[in-house]
Amino acid sequence: MTQKVMLVEDDRPILEMMDLLIRRLGYEPVLMPDGNAALETIRRDPPALILLDIMMVPIDGWTFLKRLRELPGMEKLPVVLFTAAPEVEERMLQIRDPHVSVLNKPVSLEELKVAVAKHLPL
């Protein structure tokens, strides 16, 4: 069974590009353009990993991450912050979550492969 990687991103062209990259790496992409809808999906069928944009609407990535961690059993679900936001590294020091890492946009296939493998070793 192929592991699911959820991409929570409100930019349609980025969703489409990442869909191709995630498939190329051998994972099943779950594309979510809305953070609230993504949280509902996770409640029913959690993925193996989440790639999470920070700058989104209607909820931003930080709010999404907080709500995700409040869901039962989701405290250790791996999350890769997929972002171009410059303040992410500083904010990461504040949250101190060992199951969260950062991948800066734009991303290459090799960078994505390394980031995903960190949390989902083959």
Side-chain angles (χ1 to χ4, degrees), residues 61-72:
W62 299 116
T63 303
F64 177 93
L65 185 59
K66 180 181 181 299
R67 290 182 186 169
L68 173 71
R69 293 299 186 232
E70 292 169 351
L71 293 175

Side-chain angles (χ1 to χ4, degrees), residues 55-118:
M55 297 183 290
M56 298 185 303
V57 292
I59 64 170
D60 66 16
W62 299 116
T63 303
F64 177 93
L65 185 59
K66 180 181 181 299
R67 290 182 186 169
L68 173 71
R69 293 299 186 232
E70 292 169 351
L71 293 175
M74 297 300 128
E75 302 84 9
K76 295 181 180 180
L77 180 65
V79 176
V80 176
L81 302 177
F82 178 65
T83 185
E87 76 282 351
V88 170
E89 294 296 337
E90 182 177 314
R91 190 88 182 256
M92 285 290 294
L93 295 173
Q94 296 170 359
I95 65 169
R96 295 184 188 150
D97 186 331
H99 306 288
V100 176
S101 61
V102 178
L103 182 61
N104 293 307
K105 291 179 184 177
V107 63
S108 70
L109 179 62
E110 191 57 35
E111 290 168 325
L112 180 61
K113 181 178 181 179
V114 169
V116 171
K118 175 181 178 182

